[in-house]
Amino acid sequence: MSSSNKTGSSPLTFILTGIPGLLMSSYWMALPLCCLYLLMLLGNSTLLWMIKTDHSLHTPMYYFLSMLAVADLGLSLSTLPTMLAIFWFESTSLCFEACIVQMYFIHSFSAIESGVLVAMAFDRFVPICYPLRYSSLLTSSLIMKAGGAIFMRGICVVLPVAVLIKKMPFCRSHVLSHSFCLHQDMLRLVCGDVKVNSLYGLTAVILTKGLDSLTILLSYMMIIRTILSIVSQETQAKAFSTCISHLCAVLIFYIPLIGLSITHRFGKHLPPLTHTLLADAYLLVPPVLNPLVYSWKTKQIRRRILILLCRR
């Protein structure tokens, strides 16, 4: 087979996979997926609308929460076209260029979300460890600069990944393991030397999610040490309660991510369904659950939702 990105005069296409053991035309799977996407769109869009319209929510915590909602929307919408095409229209083929674009946006928004979680950890760290400096440190200017840096990092770090894989020859089976394009999944179909791609991909992960998870861990070690030094148990409980929403968001994002990374590298013997479910959980669960967690644990948002419901 020709080791190029074209077969004769036909452009290279990849075959996406639904859920192993499930018929493509199974509407009982398509309907829940649509409900999840609708819940994600409704939840994150509502958060953004409330933060924009309610001036009492114009604080650092909610600015970072709005960034998280944007990242969640981008992450989910990146997978939406192919997921709906597979389960509603039984269309599993995707051209090479479209696959590259989807892969780029998935990994970019994932890196952005990881960076936003670090910024939110800093937003919890400062008021607990340095309460008197909170307003002077977390200014609107700093938040805008931090948000711009987070988005630019996600865009720039993942760009070489897309450029490198675009130049690689694909001469094996073009069947991917998921309903969307991921870098690790595409890389296993390359018939050339993938050392540079693998090395840069690993470096990109370390520079984004690796450093981010370490920073969050160190932040919470210092937060816990400060809270435990407080004499009043009531004050300790209040301080811990301000971190619960963010901790839930961190666990919701990193647990599926770590599970997916481990299975891609060491779980080749596992059934395909395991890989599929972990990838779907990594991309679908955080955008759906984050708005629910923050709506449930944040008094201002919960109160705002109740006011809207009462008006109706």
Side-chain angles (χ1 to χ4, degrees):
M1 187 178 292
S2 173
S3 60
S4 67
N5 288 342
K6 289 190 176 182
T7 307
S9 59
S10 302
L12 173 65
T13 58
F14 288 107
I15 305 301
L16 302 174
T17 304
I19 296 179
L22 187 70
L23 293 175
M24 290 296 179
S25 58
S26 180
Y27 290 109
W28 73 266
M29 187 62 208
L31 286 172
L33 277 175
C34 285
C35 291
L36 283 176
Y37 277 112
L38 288 173
L39 186 60
M40 177 277 302
L41 287 169
L42 179 63
N44 288 287
S45 299
T46 302
L47 272 182
L48 289 171
W49 178 78
M50 284 194 297
I51 293 170
K52 181 181 178 181
T53 56
D54 191 341
H55 290 283
S56 67
L57 300 181
H58 291 183
T59 61
M61 173 184 171
Y62 296 104
Y63 287 141
F64 289 130
L65 181 56
S66 65
M67 295 179 198
L68 184 67
V70 170
D72 280 336
L73 282 169
L75 192 61
S76 291
L77 293 175
S78 298
T79 63
L80 179 62
T82 52
M83 293 284 275
L84 291 184
I86 290 173
F87 291 105
W88 278 112
F89 306 108
E90 302 180 48
S91 175
T92 58
S93 62
L94 187 67
C95 71
F96 178 69
E97 288 76 14
C99 197
I100 291 286
V101 170
Q102 185 183 51
M103 179 208 72
Y104 172 75
F105 279 112
I106 287 174
H107 290 294
S108 290
F109 279 113
S110 179
I112 290 168
E113 179 156 351
S114 180
V116 173
L117 290 173
V118 173
M120 296 177 83
F122 184 70
D123 178 62
R124 295 297 86 213
F125 166 77
V126 174
I128 292 174
C129 298
Y130 302 98
L132 299 179
R133 301 182 62 186
Y134 182 71
S135 58
S136 61
L137 284 175
L138 284 172
T139 61
S140 298
S141 174
L142 178 64
I143 292 168
M144 290 179 63
K145 290 176 182 177
I150 289 168
F151 277 82
M152 286 304 298
R153 186 192 70 160
I155 291 168
C156 296
V157 168
V158 181
L159 186 59
V161 173
V163 172
L164 285 171
I165 202 165
K166 193 175 189 303
K167 297 179 179 179
M168 299 303 292
F170 291 84
C171 55
R172 299 178 187 171
S173 168
H174 297 157
V175 179
L176 296 174
S177 304
H178 306 296
S179 306
F180 34 78
C181 300
L182 295 177
H183 179 249
Q184 309 96 310
D185 202 17
M186 295 177 67
L187 207 58
R188 69 181 180 81
L189 303 181
V190 173
C191 62
D193 186 4
V194 297
K195 288 182 181 177
V196 175
N197 300 65
S198 297
L199 181 61
Y200 183 80
L202 181 61
T203 303
V205 171
I206 292 172
L207 290 176
T208 53
K209 292 152 192 170
L211 287 177
D212 291 349
S213 57
L214 182 61
T215 303
I216 293 171
L217 178 62
L218 291 174
S219 297
Y220 271 99
M221 288 174 64
M222 297 179 71
I223 287 171
I224 291 170
R225 187 181 67 177
T226 301
I227 291 175
L228 293 178
S229 67
I230 300 172
V231 177
S232 170
Q233 291 187 351
E234 184 180 352
T235 307
Q236 285 184 350
K238 287 182 179 178
F240 271 122
S241 67
T242 63
C243 301
I244 290 176
S245 298
H246 178 254
L247 277 172
C248 289
V250 170
L251 294 174
I252 288 167
F253 179 77
Y254 277 104
I255 288 177
L257 171 64
I258 293 170
L260 182 62
S261 300
I262 291 173
T263 54
H264 264 296
R265 293 189 177 275
F266 307 109
K268 293 180 174 61
H269 61 285
L270 294 173
L273 182 61
T274 305
H275 295 262
T276 301
L277 292 179
L278 279 172
D280 290 347
Y282 162 55
L283 294 175
L284 289 176
V285 171
V288 172
L289 290 187
N290 283 337
L292 298 177
V293 168
Y294 275 93
S295 300
W296 171 52
K297 293 301 298 180
T298 308
K299 289 182 180 179
Q300 291 91 329
I301 294 177
R302 191 166 64 243
R303 186 173 64 246
R304 180 71 169 164
I305 292 173
L306 289 173
I307 291 171
L308 290 173
L309 291 174
C310 290
R311 286 178 181 176
R312 293 186 176 185

